[in-house]
Amino acid sequence: MLVVFLLVFCLGETESAADSYVAALYEHRVILNPNPRVPVSRREALIHMQKNLDIYEEQAAKAAQQGVQILVFPEDGIHGFNFTRSSISGYMETIPDPQEESWNPCTEPDKHNNTEVLQRLSCMARRNNLYLVANMPDLQPCPLKTAPSTCPPDGHWQFNTNVAFNSDGLLVARYHKQNLYYEESFDTPPKLELITFDTPFAGKFGLIISWYQSKFQKYIPLGKISPSNMIYYY
């Protein structure tokens, strides 16, 4: 179900933004892997994820027809849940840090290998001329720049991750979930991330995954962001 909102807010320090914008949240009935605890190949994982991404494509087109400027998809909506640390491996992509490099997966698909999901999300945003936020697994090699002295026993990090794209398909934000809730396939980031991105229609947005996390993180300042501009995953 696609829910479209007209949000009106006080501008504060975002004078360049309009005084209202149109946002949509999609409540997705996820097509699940029936055996999530059994490892699959990358090809098998992609076949599975493309089924959910096909639905995302349809909803993004509907959202664009209704004038939506930012579209938010749910946590675990592309890959599902109940994986083990090893069984999720085929589903993961290594997501570059937008604070370190500028990358448009749709127009530069060969810049990074094994990024089919990022490419499709980027093209989805670009094709429909809207900002898009989605959730996916991220694999990061050790050491992390933010924590060079730590590393999981198997030599890499696995994060529950939000990604945001602008209306041209540029990757503008990457956020790793801090407070995991029975998620054995993922690591807790060694350093709390405060991630925001700017839009021309509503100023600055911040990313947080789940109500459970927001309960712990509500006291953390993400800059002067209107309450209507916080994106929570439930």
Side-chain angles (χ1 to χ4, degrees):
M1 179 175 65
L2 185 69
V3 182
V4 179
F5 297 91
L6 173 65
L7 298 176
V8 181
F9 59 97
C10 297
L11 292 181
E13 294 189 354
T14 59
E15 290 87 351
S16 62
D19 60 359
S20 66
Y21 65 94
V22 182
L25 311 175
Y26 178 59
E27 184 177 349
H28 179 48
R29 186 185 295 274
V30 186
I31 299 173
L32 296 171
N33 177 340
N35 298 297
R37 305 186 75 81
V38 177
V40 297
S41 67
R42 175 63 175 171
R43 179 179 178 276
E44 291 170 315
L46 283 173
I47 290 172
H48 172 211
M49 291 188 287
Q50 296 296 356
K51 294 176 182 178
N52 287 303
L53 287 166
D54 287 345
I55 298 171
Y56 278 26
E57 289 273 12
E58 296 172 2
Q59 296 304 319
K62 291 180 181 179
Q65 292 170 3
Q66 297 179 64
V68 168
Q69 293 162 287
I70 182 166
L71 173 60
V72 181
F73 289 109
E75 183 178 11
D76 301 326
I78 296 173
H79 55 283
F81 40 82
N82 291 334
F83 293 94
T84 67
R85 185 171 181 84
S86 60
S87 69
I88 201 171
S89 61
Y91 290 83
M92 292 190 296
E93 298 185 1
T94 297
I95 306 169
D97 185 354
Q99 297 180 348
E100 298 287 336
E101 68 170 281
S102 177
W103 180 45
N104 188 316
C106 187
T107 60
E108 304 171 282
D110 298 327
K111 187 174 181 179
H112 294 285
N113 295 326
N114 300 316
T115 54
E116 293 89 344
V117 173
L118 287 165
Q119 291 171 32
R120 188 156 184 193
L121 292 170
S122 169
C123 290
M124 204 180 299
R126 183 179 177 88
R127 184 179 306 112
N128 293 288
N129 192 35
L130 47 73
Y131 277 66
L132 185 149
V133 181
N135 179 261
M136 60 185 292
D138 180 24
L139 183 150
Q140 291 294 323
C142 294
L144 293 176
K145 290 184 178 180
T146 56
S149 62
T150 62
C151 186
D154 55 6
H156 64 268
W157 295 92
Q158 299 183 184
F159 297 121
N160 180 336
T161 306
N162 286 354
V163 288
F165 300 87
N166 72 9
S167 55
D168 290 325
L170 184 72
L171 179 65
V172 294
R174 183 197 71 184
Y175 173 75
H176 297 139
K177 183 177 181 179
Q178 183 70 31
N179 297 103
L180 301 177
Y181 191 74
Y182 298 109
E183 298 172 63
E184 63 179 289
S185 56
F186 294 123
D187 298 304
T188 298
K191 183 179 179 181
L192 180 66
E193 300 178 351
L194 307 179
I195 302 299
T196 63
F197 61 94
D198 293 308
T199 68
F201 52 84
K204 192 182 297 292
F205 281 79
L207 294 173
I208 290 179
I209 303 176
S210 87
W211 170 87
Y212 178 74
Q213 172 155 346
S214 67
K215 185 170 71 170
F216 291 97
Q217 206 164 322
K218 62 185 177 183
Y219 59 87
I220 297 172
L222 285 170
K224 293 192 175 181
I225 302 175
S226 164
S228 63
N229 287 25
M230 287 303 303
I231 298 176
Y232 294 90
Y233 277 74
Y234 292 86

